[in-house]
Amino acid sequence: RTVSYKSFHQMHRLAFLFTILIRVFGLANCSVLESCLSQGFDPSNLSCDACILLQSTDHHLTCLECCQSYKTLDSRTSRYDQAILMHSPGSEEVDKFIDEELKSIQENKKGFNVEKQDQRRMYFSMTPNILYFFKDEAPSSGGMEAYAESAKEEIILHGWSKDDLKDMINTLLPDRIAK
C-alpha cells in the first residue's frame, strides 16, 4: 500500500499539532497545580466527591478543576476490573514505576497488564504512555485502537509521578486477595 505525499504531509501536520497540544497541556498543568495549591487545594489528595460539599460556595468550580476523578469517598473497593498500560519507554516517572512498582502491583492487584508500544518519535516528543481502564474484560486483540474503543476511562500519563500512578492503580483495581 502506498501513501501519497498529501496524506503523508497531513499525518505529519497532525503529529506536529498533537505535539504542541501535549506541550501546552503540560504547561497548563503546572499553572493549574500552582493555582490549586495557592487556593488551599491539594490535587494529589482531593477527591471530586469532596467538591459536592462546596457546591454552594465560591470555591466549588476551583475544587472541580483541582480534584482527581479516580479518588473517591465511596466505600467501594474498586471501580474497574482491569487496566492496561500502553508503555512507551522514555518517560522517567513511568519507567521508574515499571522498574520499581510493577511486580508489587501485579502481585497485589488483579487485572493490571503492561504492553510495550513501538517507540515512535513525533517530531521532538515520544509516543505517550496511556492507561486504559475497563469495567469488564479488555479486548484480547486489536491493540490500542480496540482498547480506546472499549475502555471506560483513558488517561494520558503526561506529567504523572510514579507515586501518583501507583496510588491510582491501587485505588481503582481490585485486590488479588480479598482482605
Side-chain angles (χ1 to χ4, degrees), residues 104-121:
S104 172
I105 293 280
Q106 289 180 325
E107 287 173 355
N108 296 309
K109 293 293 181 177
K110 283 194 246 179
F112 182 67
N113 296 305
V114 175
E115 290 187 20
K116 192 171 183 177
Q117 295 187 70
D118 290 337
Q119 193 167 351
R120 296 184 184 135
R121 290 194 172 267

Side-chain angles (χ1 to χ4, degrees), residues 10-71:
Q10 287 174 336
M11 288 187 316
H12 277 289
R13 189 175 345 161
L14 286 173
F16 178 72
L17 291 174
F18 183 71
T19 303
I20 290 172
L21 285 173
I22 288 175
R23 293 183 191 277
V24 168
F25 178 73
L27 293 175
N29 265 353
C30 290
S31 65
V32 168
L33 176 63
E34 290 170 7
S35 173
C36 291
L37 291 173
S38 71
Q39 294 184 47
F41 295 109
D42 181 2
S44 67
N45 290 315
L46 182 59
S47 164
C48 290
D49 294 348
C51 296
I52 293 169
L53 301 172
L54 299 174
Q55 212 160 12
S56 61
T57 70
D58 294 338
H59 301 292
H60 183 247
L61 291 177
T62 305
C63 184
L64 289 174
E65 289 176 359
C66 299
C67 68
Q68 301 294 322
S69 64
Y70 71 89
K71 294 200 178 274

Side-chain angles (χ1 to χ4, degrees), residues 90-107:
S91 165
E92 183 179 336
E93 289 292 312
V94 176
D95 291 347
K96 271 200 279 187
F97 171 80
I98 298 287
D99 293 341
E100 298 171 14
E101 305 293 343
L102 179 62
K103 184 177 179 185
S104 172
I105 293 280
Q106 289 180 325
E107 287 173 355

